[in-house]
Amino acid sequence: MDRAKNPFSPGAGTPPPELAGRATILDNALVALERVKNGRAEKSMILVGLRGVGKTVLLGEAQRLAEKAGYRVAFIEAHESRQKKTLAELLIPHLRRILFDLDRGEKISDKAKKALRVFKSFMSALKLKTGDLEFYLDMDAEKGEADSGDLEVDLAALFVAIGEAAKDRHTAVAIIIDELQYVEETEVSALIMAIHRVSQRSLPLILIGAGLPQLRAKAGNSKSYAERLFAYPEVGALNKQDAIAALQRPVQELSVSFSDEALNEIYDTTKGYPYFVQEWGYHAWNTAQQSPIGRNDITEASKLSIANLDKSFFRTRFDRLTPSEKKYVRALAELGSTPQRSGDIAAKLGKTVEQVAALRAQLISKGMIYSPAHGDTAFTVPLIEEFLMREIPVFSAKEQY
Ligand SMILES: Nc1ncnc2c1ncn2[C@@H]1O[C@H](COP(=O)(O)OP(=O)(O)O)[C@@H](O)[C@H]1O
Ligand SMILES: [Mg+2]
């Protein structure tokens, strides 16, 4: 098939040609956006799911819906350690843009001016140096607001001021945060308290987040608030019907089709995980000489897809692990593709649960594994156990990888 016309789009955050199986989540997001904008009580939304299920794509969609509904949007992405910025550092450039925007208008808005002053005091309290920022904020800070130095108090004051400014301008603000599991627990807590304050006052500010399942444990002390304030839609693999739609519709647009056997084969191999569906669709298209794309094409496409995933999707995650972490995940892979008891993994390594507890915690904070239930451990990356078996064919507790 003509490679230039290939409709599939494997890649982190790349919108698929057919966004299958997400109608309910998008509907709910749209309703939440409308309600919050109109000052009605509504939960903020945090999408939870494994890698490659389409969370980032959904956040992109949410951004589009929000902008269409007249929102000002801040879209940020948290990162794992090292090059890590604080939540405040990530938010500041976006909030500054939104605040300047709210300050513009025919009539002067006292609320918008005040929000800028609160923003200035927020920054001065955190002693943040973000380039030319001070220079542009040629006004007094709002003394006593958002300047305690305690993020939990200050972020709430800032969000309230922004919410009031947005309300005054008959608009709304959406704060969208991807990879929320990498945000520090104290910062997540502050975020929750800020949303709490905003929703108590029915202000038009919503948080839409996404992250790996470990982020559920991050609410910390604010847990009871978090449960009332947030809905946690789960984003998972596509069911068979949706996976078929994700493959068949884009090619039918181009007067091509997949045979039923080809579709069955792809579904069985990918288990309906969106990233893999795109990868297989992509290689199937390039492999096939003619329509319909058949079972034999999928055999070839599978080889290419696996080779490619091993080089990229799986490899990048694996390469970030230390030798002991590699050994831990290889032991987990040895036990199977379902969640495993942490005790069984430790036993495979010839260690006690206590001896590997720190290692396990590190792997959770790196976003490699999570705990689906107390004492259980599972991969956050679907099908990575198969990669690990290919990468390290024979497991030995003594070997260094
Ligand atoms: N509903 C869907 N149907 C088909 N493909 C999808 C769907 N959602 C996402 N994808 C594809 O899956 C891949 C991973 O999406 P991404 O949003 O990066 O996942 P995540 O953020 O959960 O890791 C992308 O190639 C994207 O095009
Ligand atoms: Mg993502």
Side-chain angles (χ1 to χ4, degrees):
M1 237 53 86
D2 182 356
R3 292 172 59 189
K5 294 206 176 115
N6 194 328
F8 295 103
S9 56
T14 340
E18 171 77 21
L19 186 60
R22 305 299 187 219
T24 311
I25 292 179
L26 290 172
D27 252 24
N28 291 344
L30 190 57
V31 171
L33 286 165
E34 289 294 342
R35 289 183 60 87
V36 167
K37 187 166 181 222
N38 293 315
R40 295 189 210 286
E42 183 59 71
K43 288 180 171 174
S44 277
M45 200 174 209
I46 296 186
L47 310 170
V48 181
L50 304 182
R51 295 235 181 253
V53 293
K55 300 181 298 299
T56 303
V57 162
L58 283 170
L59 289 184
E61 244 347 77
Q63 172 170 26
R64 209 181 51 79
L65 292 174
E67 280 166 355
K68 224 168 111 191
Y71 272 74
R72 308 295 150 92
V73 180
F75 193 127
I76 64 171
E77 182 189 336
H79 289 275
E80 193 209 322
S81 57
R82 273 179 246 287
Q83 78 280 42
K84 188 155 176 163
K85 289 185 176 171
T86 64
L87 178 65
E89 284 169 333
L90 287 169
L91 282 171
I92 274 171
H94 294 273
L95 298 183
R96 173 177 67 156
R97 172 179 48 78
I98 289 170
L99 283 167
F100 279 138
D101 202 28
L102 291 175
D103 189 40
R104 269 195 294 269
E106 270 171 33
K107 279 187 294 171
I108 284 185
S109 162
D110 291 339
K111 301 278 192 207
K113 294 266 178 252
K114 176 171 175 196
L116 275 168
R117 293 196 301 274
V118 172
F119 179 65
K120 179 154 188 182
S121 74
F122 178 80
M123 294 208 314
S124 61
L126 292 174
K127 300 198 178 52
L128 286 173
K129 291 261 179 295
T130 33
D132 53 6
L133 215 50
E134 299 282 343
F135 181 71
Y136 281 112
L137 276 179
D138 187 14
M139 55 173 54
D140 292 331
E142 185 80 8
K143 288 264 151 40
E145 290 242 29
D147 58 3
S148 73
D150 175 351
L151 185 69
E152 199 158 296
V153 176
D154 296 349
L155 196 65
L158 179 60
F159 277 19
V160 165
I162 293 174
E164 282 175 343
K167 186 177 175 186
D168 198 47
R169 290 297 195 195
H170 306 288
T171 178
V173 172
I175 295 174
I176 302 183
I177 309 182
D178 202 0
E179 306 281 1
L180 207 45
Q181 76 282 351
Y182 290 140
V183 174
E184 291 298 322
E185 193 167 315
T186 51
E187 295 175 329
V188 172
S189 244
L191 209 48
I192 292 166
M193 291 315 291
I195 293 299
H196 175 57
R197 288 275 302 280
V198 157
S199 80
Q200 272 179 327
R201 288 164 176 71
S202 305
L203 294 170
L205 186 151
I206 191 172
L207 174 74
I208 303 179
L212 297 173
Q214 45 263 68
L215 86 84
R216 284 177 196 277
K218 286 236 163 159
N221 292 335
S222 338
K223 237 191 183 85
S224 60
Y225 285 120
E227 276 154 24
R228 274 191 286 123
L229 292 170
F230 297 106
Y232 295 93
E234 284 198 28
V235 190
L238 302 174
N239 65 30
K240 189 160 181 180
Q241 193 189 339
D242 292 331
I244 287 174
L247 290 159
Q248 194 71 289
R249 286 203 195 136
V251 302
Q252 275 174 352
E253 291 269 306
L254 301 163
S255 309
V256 172
S257 66
F258 282 97
S259 75
D260 288 345
E261 299 86 64
L263 291 169
N264 285 333
E265 182 71 20
I266 297 184
Y267 181 72
D268 289 345
T269 320
T270 61
K271 311 267 192 306
Y273 281 102
Y275 196 109
F276 304 145
V277 167
Q278 294 303 319
E279 189 79 41
W280 260 258
Y282 181 83
H283 290 292
W285 175 279
N286 286 353
T287 301
Q289 299 293 328
Q290 66 206 29
S291 179
I293 303 171
R295 202 204 167 97
N296 289 339
D297 298 321
I298 307 308
T299 310
E300 182 59 23
S302 287
K303 280 190 214 138
L304 296 169
S305 300
I306 290 169
N308 197 47
L309 290 168
D310 282 3
K311 264 198 328 222
S312 57
F313 187 71
F314 295 130
R315 167 80 45 204
T316 51
R317 314 238 132 74
F318 184 71
D319 283 352
R320 288 213 302 265
L321 306 182
T322 65
S324 333
E325 289 169 351
K326 286 179 181 169
K327 203 186 323 190
Y328 187 97
V329 294
R330 181 58 182 82
L332 173 54
E334 186 77 5
L335 292 165
S337 60
T338 51
Q340 300 295 326
R341 302 296 301 165
S342 303
D344 294 344
I345 305 166
K348 260 263 159 283
L349 292 162
K351 298 265 170 69
T352 65
V353 171
E354 291 72 28
Q355 282 172 321
V356 294
L359 199 55
R360 180 171 177 272
Q362 246 165 262
L363 283 161
I364 291 177
S365 88
K366 281 191 175 177
M368 190 68 186
I369 58 173
Y370 73 110
S371 182
H374 184 72
D376 278 356
T377 301
F379 286 113
T380 59
V381 187
L383 306 188
I384 197 168
E385 65 280 355
E386 295 174 12
F387 162 80
L388 291 166
M389 308 287 250
R390 288 191 289 274
E391 183 69 18
I392 306 168
V394 184
F395 171 75
S396 149
K398 293 199 194 76
E399 200 81 39
Q400 264 321 323
Y401 299 113

